Structure formats: C-alpha cells, structure tokens
Amino acid sequence: MSDLVRDQRVLPDISKPKWDQSTYEGRARHFFASANPLTLFASHRRQEEARQIVVDYKNGKFPANLTVKQLWDAKILYDSTFHPDSGEKMFVIGRMSAQMPGNMVTTGFLLGLYRTTGGALFSHWFNQSFNAIVNYTNRSGNNHATNERLLVSYCCATGGAMAAALTLNKMVKNAHGLAARLVPFVAIALANAINIPMMRSNEITDGIELTDADGNLVAKSRSLAILSIAQVTLSRIAMATPYMVATPIIMNRITRTAFYKSRPLMQKYSEIPLQSLLAGAMLFFTTPLCCALFPQKSSIEVSKLEPEIQQKIRENSKNPPNIVYYNKGL
C-alpha cells in the first residue's frame, strides 16, 4: 500500500499520540519522541511547517504528496513545541525536550557546588529558576496564575531548597562522604513538593479543565486538579532519583581511586563536567520513562466526579457526556 496519506483506507488519527496512551509502553514511546532534545534544534520554519500540517489536517486538508511518516513527524514536533491545550509555542527552556540538557547543567552545579554555602545557594537558586520555567510552561489547561502567585511559589520553593540544603549540610559531619553528596537530592525533592503545587495553586482553587470528546470545556474539577498535581510531583521526584542518587554514588567511588587522587587538576576541575555527563546519560532515559508514569491526557466517568460538578455538567450541556477528559500537565 502507498505511504501517501490520501491512499490510506483509514486516515491516521492525530488527535491522539501515535502510540497507545493507555499502556505504559505506548506513553514511554511517545515521550521518547516528544521529549527528544534534538527537537530543540528544529528551525522556526520547520516548527511552523509542522504546525501548519497539523492544523490543516485537523481541518480536513492536506497536500496530495503528504506521507504518513511526514504527518507523524510533524505531529511529534508539534507536540514537543506547542502546548497541547492552548496551542501556543512553549518557551524553549520550558519544553520537556529541554529537560535533559537543562538538568545536565543544574545537576552538575548541584552535585559539584554542594560543599560551600555560596555554592549550595547558587546551585539551588539556579535549579529552582529552571524548574519554575518548566512548571509554568507545562501547566495544564488554559489556567494562568497571577504574577504575584508565581513569585510567591518561586520564592517558597527556592527558599525551601536552600534551607534544606544548608540544614542538612550542617547535620552531615563527613563533608566529603556519600551522605553529603545526597543532600542535593533531598533538597530538590522537598523543593518539588513545594514548587509544583504552589506554581499550579490556581488550579486547586479554580479547578482543572474538563472537556467533552470534541474538546469543548464543560466544567472544572478541584479534586482532579489535586490528583494531577500530586502525580506530576511524584513523576518529577522519580525522574530526579536515578541521576541524583546514582551519580553521587558513582562519583564517590571515582574520587576514592588512586588514579583520581594522584591527579590534582582532575580533582579540581573534573567534578562538575563528570557529574553532568553522568546525569545526562541517565536523563535521556529517566525523562521519558518518568513522564510516562501517568497518562498526560486522562479520561474519567462523570459519575465519579464531585456531585456539584456532575450537576453543573448536566445543567449546562444539551447532551451531557458520560466521560470527560483533562490534561494533568507535565
């Protein structure tokens, strides 16, 4: 059979990801594609071409020479570049495809500068600034937090991470041992538990958007917002665990070798680059695998929603849906 879209018996459904999102394998394959850091290098022209292909296809139009592969390649680039709900181009640093290179740099700072007070403060400020951009960029729905709320969230997360890092550093007596190297992980886990809920606190107060099968907004749910934020927080902590725990263990072993100890220049300059490379290798896998822990776009039966939400859907819809959909965010 021809690979041209026009020759397909059943046209590809790009309203959904290429792979089955009801299975972990399908979600993992989707995020390996959409979180691929190579998509960051796509030109503005290529991004706009992908957007145009996707938008036109959804409206029933496509060029006669468009192949199935070209269609899915455009959809994957579109998913990695544009927000799934608003359709706006996401800030490049905030895209999930920037997680690997961005966290490589922040991990190098976190694990290489943890010994001094100034280094710990700078590295956690840098990390939380990066996380704040990612969290805001990938917030669910079209909810927009006020500038004041965003500033408070950022300050609380940054302050919490700094306080945890400094306090734990004082508690750990062996400043060069493995326990001290694990302090940054504990600090960023705490910061994630603060930052993500606060950054998206407007969803807790206003609710997360619920849509019908056609994408029409039918209601907002506070309970699902809480569940979604908890899932995102868990995913982020799980994403950080391998490289923030395994990297210090590996580095601790390296620093104890005679080869390392006999080379002063290596001791002075290699720690941040080595740990960045180790973290990057792990991030290539942990980013998509942990993003896939929970479906990004989920469905729920209306009967399982809060009673007042069920009533609102019945009252405001001519044909009330039995199932609604929501985007938990990343």
Short mmCIF file of all heavy atoms in Angstrom, two decimals, residues 236-287:
data_model
loop_
_atom_site.label_atom_id
_atom_site.label_comp_id
_atom_site.label_asym_id
_atom_site.label_seq_id
_atom_site.Cartn_x
_atom_site.Cartn_y
_atom_site.Cartn_z
N ARG A 236 8.13 13.96 38.89
CA ARG A 236 9.34 14.77 38.89
C ARG A 236 10.37 14.24 39.90
O ARG A 236 11.57 14.21 39.63
CB ARG A 236 8.99 16.22 39.23
CG ARG A 236 8.20 16.94 38.16
CD ARG A 236 9.04 17.20 36.90
NE ARG A 236 8.25 17.94 35.94
CZ ARG A 236 8.11 19.26 35.96
NH1 ARG A 236 8.74 19.97 36.86
NH2 ARG A 236 7.36 19.85 35.05
N ILE A 237 9.89 13.81 41.08
CA ILE A 237 10.80 13.27 42.07
C ILE A 237 11.39 11.94 41.58
O ILE A 237 12.58 11.67 41.73
CB ILE A 237 10.09 13.08 43.43
CG1 ILE A 237 9.71 14.46 44.01
CG2 ILE A 237 10.99 12.33 44.42
CD1 ILE A 237 8.89 14.39 45.27
N ALA A 238 10.53 11.11 40.96
CA ALA A 238 11.02 9.85 40.40
C ALA A 238 12.03 10.10 39.29
O ALA A 238 13.01 9.36 39.15
CB ALA A 238 9.83 9.03 39.87
N MET A 239 11.80 11.15 38.51
CA MET A 239 12.71 11.49 37.42
C MET A 239 14.09 11.88 37.97
O MET A 239 15.12 11.55 37.38
CB MET A 239 12.13 12.65 36.61
CG MET A 239 12.85 12.97 35.33
SD MET A 239 12.22 14.49 34.56
CE MET A 239 10.49 14.05 34.31
N ALA A 240 14.10 12.56 39.11
CA ALA A 240 15.37 13.03 39.67
C ALA A 240 16.11 11.94 40.44
O ALA A 240 17.34 12.01 40.58
CB ALA A 240 15.10 14.22 40.60
N THR A 241 15.39 10.94 40.93
CA THR A 241 16.01 9.94 41.80
C THR A 241 17.20 9.22 41.18
O THR A 241 18.27 9.16 41.80
CB THR A 241 14.96 8.93 42.28
OG1 THR A 241 13.92 9.62 42.99
CG2 THR A 241 15.58 7.89 43.20
N PRO A 242 17.09 8.65 39.97
CA PRO A 242 18.23 7.89 39.44
C PRO A 242 19.51 8.72 39.31
O PRO A 242 20.58 8.30 39.76
CB PRO A 242 17.72 7.41 38.07
CG PRO A 242 16.24 7.40 38.20
CD PRO A 242 15.92 8.56 39.08
N TYR A 243 19.40 9.90 38.67
CA TYR A 243 20.64 10.65 38.43
C TYR A 243 21.12 11.42 39.64
O TYR A 243 22.32 11.69 39.78
CB TYR A 243 20.50 11.57 37.21
CG TYR A 243 19.53 12.72 37.34
CD1 TYR A 243 19.91 13.93 37.89
CD2 TYR A 243 18.21 12.60 36.88
CE1 TYR A 243 19.04 14.99 37.99
CE2 TYR A 243 17.33 13.66 36.97
CZ TYR A 243 17.74 14.85 37.52
OH TYR A 243 16.86 15.90 37.63
N MET A 244 20.21 11.77 40.56
CA MET A 244 20.64 12.48 41.76
C MET A 244 21.14 11.54 42.84
O MET A 244 21.78 11.97 43.80
CB MET A 244 19.49 13.33 42.30
CG MET A 244 19.14 14.55 41.46
SD MET A 244 20.49 15.75 41.32
CE MET A 244 20.58 16.38 42.99
N VAL A 245 20.85 10.26 42.72
CA VAL A 245 21.33 9.26 43.69
C VAL A 245 22.47 8.44 43.10
O VAL A 245 23.52 8.27 43.73
CB VAL A 245 20.18 8.34 44.14
CG1 VAL A 245 20.72 7.22 45.02
CG2 VAL A 245 19.12 9.13 44.89
N ALA A 246 22.28 7.94 41.88
CA ALA A 246 23.33 7.10 41.27
C ALA A 246 24.59 7.90 40.95
O ALA A 246 25.71 7.40 41.15
CB ALA A 246 22.78 6.43 40.00
N THR A 247 24.43 9.13 40.46
CA THR A 247 25.60 9.93 40.11
C THR A 247 26.52 10.18 41.32
O THR A 247 27.74 10.00 41.22
CB THR A 247 25.17 11.28 39.48
OG1 THR A 247 24.41 11.02 38.30
CG2 THR A 247 26.38 12.12 39.12
N PRO A 248 25.98 10.59 42.49
CA PRO A 248 26.86 10.74 43.66
C PRO A 248 27.54 9.43 44.07
O PRO A 248 28.71 9.44 44.50
CB PRO A 248 25.90 11.22 44.75
CG PRO A 248 24.79 11.87 44.03
CD PRO A 248 24.63 11.08 42.78
N ILE A 249 26.82 8.31 43.95
CA ILE A 249 27.42 7.02 44.32
C ILE A 249 28.60 6.71 43.40
O ILE A 249 29.69 6.32 43.86
CB ILE A 249 26.37 5.90 44.25
CG1 ILE A 249 25.32 6.10 45.36
CG2 ILE A 249 27.03 4.53 44.39
CD1 ILE A 249 24.17 5.12 45.29
N ILE A 250 28.41 6.89 42.09
CA ILE A 250 29.48 6.63 41.12
C ILE A 250 30.64 7.60 41.36
O ILE A 250 31.82 7.20 41.37
CB ILE A 250 28.94 6.76 39.68
CG1 ILE A 250 27.90 5.67 39.41
CG2 ILE A 250 30.09 6.67 38.68
CD1 ILE A 250 27.17 5.84 38.10
N MET A 251 30.33 8.88 41.55
CA MET A 251 31.37 9.88 41.75
C MET A 251 32.13 9.62 43.04
O MET A 251 33.36 9.82 43.12
CB MET A 251 30.74 11.27 41.78
CG MET A 251 31.74 12.40 41.55
SD MET A 251 32.46 12.32 39.89
CE MET A 251 33.91 13.33 40.11
N ASN A 252 31.45 9.16 44.06
CA ASN A 252 32.10 8.86 45.33
C ASN A 252 33.12 7.74 45.16
O ASN A 252 34.20 7.77 45.77
CB ASN A 252 31.06 8.47 46.37
CG ASN A 252 31.58 8.59 47.79
OD1 ASN A 252 32.06 9.65 48.20
ND2 ASN A 252 31.51 7.50 48.55
N ARG A 253 32.78 6.76 44.32
CA ARG A 253 33.72 5.66 44.06
C ARG A 253 34.92 6.15 43.25
O ARG A 253 36.06 5.75 43.49
CB ARG A 253 33.00 4.53 43.31
CG ARG A 253 31.90 3.84 44.09
CD ARG A 253 32.47 3.08 45.27
NE ARG A 253 33.35 2.01 44.85
CZ ARG A 253 32.95 0.77 44.59
NH1 ARG A 253 31.66 0.44 44.70
NH2 ARG A 253 33.82 -0.16 44.23
N ILE A 254 34.66 7.04 42.27
CA ILE A 254 35.74 7.55 41.43
C ILE A 254 36.75 8.35 42.27
O ILE A 254 37.96 8.20 42.11
CB ILE A 254 35.17 8.43 40.30
CG1 ILE A 254 34.39 7.58 39.30
CG2 ILE A 254 36.29 9.19 39.59
CD1 ILE A 254 33.68 8.38 38.23
N THR A 255 36.25 9.18 43.17
CA THR A 255 37.14 10.04 43.96
C THR A 255 37.99 9.25 44.95
O THR A 255 38.96 9.78 45.48
CB THR A 255 36.33 11.09 44.73
OG1 THR A 255 35.37 10.44 45.58
CG2 THR A 255 35.61 12.02 43.77
N ARG A 256 37.63 8.01 45.19
CA ARG A 256 38.40 7.18 46.12
C ARG A 256 39.49 6.37 45.42
O ARG A 256 40.28 5.69 46.08
CB ARG A 256 37.46 6.23 46.88
CG ARG A 256 36.51 6.95 47.83
CD ARG A 256 35.52 5.97 48.45
NE ARG A 256 34.57 6.65 49.31
CZ ARG A 256 34.75 6.90 50.60
NH1 ARG A 256 35.86 6.50 51.19
NH2 ARG A 256 33.84 7.53 51.30
N THR A 257 39.54 6.43 44.10
CA THR A 257 40.54 5.65 43.36
C THR A 257 41.90 6.34 43.41
O THR A 257 41.99 7.57 43.51
CB THR A 257 40.12 5.47 41.89
OG1 THR A 257 40.06 6.75 41.25
CG2 THR A 257 38.77 4.77 41.79
N ALA A 258 42.95 5.54 43.30
CA ALA A 258 44.32 6.08 43.31
C ALA A 258 44.55 6.95 42.09
O ALA A 258 45.26 7.97 42.16
CB ALA A 258 45.32 4.94 43.36
N PHE A 259 43.96 6.56 40.95
CA PHE A 259 44.10 7.33 39.71
C PHE A 259 43.61 8.76 39.91
O PHE A 259 44.26 9.72 39.51
CB PHE A 259 43.31 6.64 38.60
CG PHE A 259 43.36 7.35 37.28
CD1 PHE A 259 44.42 7.15 36.41
CD2 PHE A 259 42.34 8.23 36.91
CE1 PHE A 259 44.47 7.82 35.18
CE2 PHE A 259 42.39 8.89 35.69
CZ PHE A 259 43.46 8.69 34.83
N TYR A 260 42.44 8.91 40.54
CA TYR A 260 41.84 10.23 40.75
C TYR A 260 42.65 11.03 41.78
O TYR A 260 42.94 12.22 41.59
CB TYR A 260 40.40 10.07 41.22
CG TYR A 260 39.62 11.37 41.36
CD1 TYR A 260 38.95 11.91 40.28
CD2 TYR A 260 39.57 12.04 42.58
CE1 TYR A 260 38.24 13.10 40.41
CE2 TYR A 260 38.88 13.23 42.72
CZ TYR A 260 38.21 13.76 41.63
OH TYR A 260 37.52 14.93 41.77
N LYS A 261 43.04 10.37 42.86
CA LYS A 261 43.74 11.06 43.94
C LYS A 261 45.12 11.55 43.52
O LYS A 261 45.64 12.52 44.09
CB LYS A 261 43.87 10.14 45.15
CG LYS A 261 42.55 9.86 45.85
CD LYS A 261 42.77 8.92 47.04
CE LYS A 261 41.47 8.68 47.79
NZ LYS A 261 41.64 7.76 48.94
N SER A 262 45.71 10.89 42.53
CA SER A 262 47.06 11.27 42.10
C SER A 262 47.07 12.39 41.06
O SER A 262 48.13 12.77 40.58
CB SER A 262 47.79 10.04 41.53
OG SER A 262 47.12 9.57 40.36
N ARG A 263 45.90 12.91 40.72
CA ARG A 263 45.80 13.95 39.70
C ARG A 263 45.06 15.18 40.25
O ARG A 263 43.85 15.28 40.19
CB ARG A 263 45.09 13.40 38.46
CG ARG A 263 45.98 12.43 37.68
CD ARG A 263 45.21 11.59 36.70
NE ARG A 263 46.14 10.81 35.89
CZ ARG A 263 46.76 9.72 36.32
NH1 ARG A 263 46.56 9.28 37.56
NH2 ARG A 263 47.59 9.06 35.51
N PRO A 264 45.83 16.13 40.77
CA PRO A 264 45.24 17.34 41.39
C PRO A 264 44.34 18.13 40.44
O PRO A 264 43.30 18.65 40.86
CB PRO A 264 46.47 18.16 41.81
CG PRO A 264 47.57 17.16 41.93
CD PRO A 264 47.29 16.12 40.89
N LEU A 265 44.75 18.24 39.17
CA LEU A 265 43.93 19.00 38.23
C LEU A 265 42.57 18.34 38.01
O LEU A 265 41.55 19.03 37.89
CB LEU A 265 44.67 19.15 36.88
CG LEU A 265 45.84 20.12 36.86
CD1 LEU A 265 46.51 20.13 35.50
CD2 LEU A 265 45.38 21.53 37.23
N MET A 266 42.56 17.02 37.96
CA MET A 266 41.30 16.30 37.82
C MET A 266 40.41 16.53 39.04
O MET A 266 39.20 16.74 38.91
CB MET A 266 41.55 14.81 37.63
CG MET A 266 40.28 13.99 37.48
SD MET A 266 40.59 12.23 37.17
CE MET A 266 41.07 12.31 35.44
N GLN A 267 41.00 16.49 40.21
CA GLN A 267 40.24 16.74 41.43
C GLN A 267 39.64 18.14 41.44
O GLN A 267 38.53 18.35 41.94
CB GLN A 267 41.15 16.56 42.65
CG GLN A 267 41.66 15.14 42.85
CD GLN A 267 42.59 15.04 44.04
OE1 GLN A 267 42.29 15.54 45.12
NE2 GLN A 267 43.74 14.41 43.85
N LYS A 268 40.36 19.10 40.87
CA LYS A 268 39.92 20.49 40.93
C LYS A 268 38.86 20.82 39.89
O LYS A 268 37.93 21.58 40.16
CB LYS A 268 41.14 21.40 40.76
CG LYS A 268 40.83 22.88 40.97
CD LYS A 268 42.10 23.71 40.95
CE LYS A 268 41.80 25.18 41.22
NZ LYS A 268 43.04 26.02 41.21
N TYR A 269 39.00 20.24 38.67
CA TYR A 269 38.16 20.70 37.57
C TYR A 269 37.19 19.66 36.99
O TYR A 269 36.32 20.02 36.19
CB TYR A 269 39.05 21.20 36.42
CG TYR A 269 39.90 22.39 36.79
CD1 TYR A 269 41.28 22.26 36.89
CD2 TYR A 269 39.33 23.64 37.03
CE1 TYR A 269 42.08 23.36 37.22
CE2 TYR A 269 40.11 24.73 37.37
CZ TYR A 269 41.49 24.59 37.46
OH TYR A 269 42.26 25.67 37.79
N SER A 270 37.32 18.41 37.36
CA SER A 270 36.54 17.38 36.66
C SER A 270 35.18 17.09 37.27
O SER A 270 34.32 16.49 36.61
CB SER A 270 37.35 16.07 36.60
OG SER A 270 37.46 15.51 37.90
N GLU A 271 34.94 17.49 38.52
CA GLU A 271 33.75 17.03 39.21
C GLU A 271 32.46 17.47 38.54
O GLU A 271 31.56 16.66 38.29
CB GLU A 271 33.77 17.51 40.67
CG GLU A 271 32.88 16.67 41.56
CD GLU A 271 33.25 16.77 43.03
OE1 GLU A 271 34.44 16.84 43.35
OE2 GLU A 271 32.32 16.79 43.85
N ILE A 272 32.33 18.75 38.22
CA ILE A 272 31.10 19.24 37.59
C ILE A 272 30.90 18.64 36.20
O ILE A 272 29.82 18.12 35.89
CB ILE A 272 31.08 20.78 37.55
CG1 ILE A 272 30.92 21.34 38.96
CG2 ILE A 272 29.94 21.27 36.66
CD1 ILE A 272 30.92 22.85 39.04
N PRO A 273 31.92 18.65 35.31
CA PRO A 273 31.72 18.03 33.99
C PRO A 273 31.39 16.54 34.06
O PRO A 273 30.51 16.07 33.33
CB PRO A 273 33.07 18.26 33.28
CG PRO A 273 33.66 19.44 33.97
CD PRO A 273 33.23 19.33 35.39
N LEU A 274 32.10 15.80 34.91
CA LEU A 274 31.84 14.36 35.01
C LEU A 274 30.42 14.07 35.47
O LEU A 274 29.72 13.22 34.92
CB LEU A 274 32.85 13.71 35.98
CG LEU A 274 34.20 13.30 35.39
CD1 LEU A 274 35.11 12.77 36.50
CD2 LEU A 274 34.03 12.25 34.30
N GLN A 275 30.00 14.78 36.50
CA GLN A 275 28.66 14.54 37.04
C GLN A 275 27.57 15.00 36.07
O GLN A 275 26.51 14.40 36.00
CB GLN A 275 28.52 15.21 38.41
CG GLN A 275 29.42 14.57 39.45
CD GLN A 275 29.23 15.14 40.84
OE1 GLN A 275 28.90 14.42 41.78
NE2 GLN A 275 29.45 16.43 40.99
N SER A 276 27.86 16.04 35.31
CA SER A 276 26.91 16.50 34.30
C SER A 276 26.72 15.44 33.22
O SER A 276 25.60 15.15 32.79
CB SER A 276 27.38 17.81 33.67
OG SER A 276 27.41 18.85 34.62
N LEU A 277 27.83 14.85 32.77
CA LEU A 277 27.75 13.82 31.73
C LEU A 277 27.04 12.57 32.23
O LEU A 277 26.21 11.98 31.52
CB LEU A 277 29.16 13.46 31.25
CG LEU A 277 29.88 14.53 30.42
CD1 LEU A 277 31.33 14.12 30.16
CD2 LEU A 277 29.15 14.76 29.11
N LEU A 278 27.33 12.16 33.46
CA LEU A 278 26.65 11.00 34.04
C LEU A 278 25.15 11.26 34.16
O LEU A 278 24.33 10.41 33.82
CB LEU A 278 27.24 10.69 35.43
CG LEU A 278 28.62 10.05 35.46
CD1 LEU A 278 29.17 10.04 36.89
CD2 LEU A 278 28.57 8.62 34.91
N ALA A 279 24.80 12.46 34.64
CA ALA A 279 23.39 12.81 34.78
C ALA A 279 22.70 12.86 33.43
O ALA A 279 21.57 12.39 33.28
CB ALA A 279 23.25 14.16 35.49
N GLY A 280 23.38 13.40 32.42
CA GLY A 280 22.80 13.50 31.09
C GLY A 280 22.48 12.14 30.50
O GLY A 280 21.43 11.94 29.88
N ALA A 281 23.40 11.19 30.69
CA ALA A 281 23.17 9.83 30.18
C ALA A 281 21.94 9.21 30.81
O ALA A 281 21.15 8.53 30.15
CB ALA A 281 24.40 8.97 30.44
N MET A 282 21.76 9.44 32.11
CA MET A 282 20.59 8.88 32.80
C MET A 282 19.32 9.64 32.45
O MET A 282 18.24 9.05 32.29
CB MET A 282 20.81 8.91 34.31
CG MET A 282 21.95 8.04 34.78
SD MET A 282 22.13 8.08 36.58
CE MET A 282 23.88 7.78 36.74
N LEU A 283 19.44 10.96 32.30
CA LEU A 283 18.27 11.79 31.99
C LEU A 283 17.66 11.44 30.64
O LEU A 283 16.45 11.59 30.44
CB LEU A 283 18.65 13.27 32.00
CG LEU A 283 18.64 13.96 33.35
CD1 LEU A 283 19.45 15.23 33.31
CD2 LEU A 283 17.21 14.24 33.78
N PHE A 284 18.50 10.98 29.71
CA PHE A 284 17.98 10.62 28.40
C PHE A 284 16.90 9.55 28.53
O PHE A 284 15.94 9.52 27.74
CB PHE A 284 19.12 10.09 27.51
CG PHE A 284 18.68 9.72 26.12
CD1 PHE A 284 18.49 10.70 25.16
CD2 PHE A 284 18.42 8.40 25.78
CE1 PHE A 284 18.07 10.37 23.88
CE2 PHE A 284 18.00 8.05 24.50
CZ PHE A 284 17.83 9.04 23.55
N PHE A 285 17.04 8.69 29.54
CA PHE A 285 16.06 7.62 29.76
C PHE A 285 15.02 7.99 30.82
O PHE A 285 13.84 7.70 30.67
CB PHE A 285 16.79 6.33 30.17
CG PHE A 285 17.70 5.80 29.11
CD1 PHE A 285 19.07 6.07 29.15
CD2 PHE A 285 17.22 5.04 28.05
CE1 PHE A 285 19.92 5.59 28.17
CE2 PHE A 285 18.06 4.56 27.06
CZ PHE A 285 19.42 4.84 27.12
N THR A 286 15.47 8.62 31.93
CA THR A 286 14.52 8.88 33.02
C THR A 286 13.47 9.91 32.66
O THR A 286 12.34 9.83 33.14
CB THR A 286 15.27 9.34 34.29
OG1 THR A 286 15.97 10.56 34.03
CG2 THR A 286 16.24 8.28 34.77
N THR A 287 13.81 10.89 31.81
CA THR A 287 12.83 11.92 31.46
C THR A 287 11.60 11.32 30.78
O THR A 287 10.48 11.50 31.27
CB THR A 287 13.46 13.00 30.57
OG1 THR A 287 14.52 13.64 31.28
CG2 THR A 287 12.43 14.04 30.16
#
